[in-house]
Amino acid sequence: ALSGGPGALGLEATLGALNDSRVAQLLLNESGEWDGGRTEDGRLYARGDVPQGEPGERVVPDPTMGERMIERALDIDAEVIVLDEEAAQDLADSGGVAAILRW
């Protein structure tokens, strides 16, 4: 993701890729905490990111967004890679989350 290849960097971009089933590898900082929510159909969104065509009240806050991302990644047969603090330093400016995409 950092090299400009097929990747997503940051929570909003990574959740969008997870929603579109494009993630091959999900990269998460082991001590990361993410704030977001989900819709009734299970799509994930960063806090304040209201999906187009959806009223904001339809996005239910989810305090376990890290777990939701892992579940979604496993549902789409993506690999989940949890990075220790040292390995995750390159992701610090992006909220400790990124993905390598299938396409």
Side-chain angles (χ1 to χ4, degrees):
L2 290 172
S3 67
L9 196 54
L11 183 60
E12 190 172 322
T14 301
L15 292 177
L18 282 167
N19 288 337
D20 293 339
S21 301
R22 296 178 53 211
V23 174
Q25 296 172 317
L26 175 65
L27 308 170
L28 298 172
N29 181 329
E30 69 180 353
S31 62
E33 292 183 24
W34 301 277
D35 195 10
R38 57 184 165 71
T39 57
E40 288 180 9
D41 65 356
R43 296 176 66 81
L44 304 174
Y45 296 94
R47 185 173 70 141
D49 182 23
V50 178
Q52 188 172 346
E54 286 281 340
E57 64 270 7
R58 290 202 181 167
V59 178
V60 177
D62 191 331
T64 59
M65 185 54 64
E67 291 177 25
R68 296 293 84 71
M69 287 190 285
I70 291 169
E71 287 174 355
R72 178 67 180 141
L74 296 175
D75 285 345
I76 62 172
D77 294 323
E79 180 181 8
V80 176
I81 301 170
V82 179
L83 304 169
D84 64 24
E85 287 298 318
E86 183 179 342
Q89 282 192 357
D90 288 335
L91 300 179
D93 291 338
S94 302
V97 62
I100 299 171
L101 305 180
R102 293 183 171 120
W103 49 271

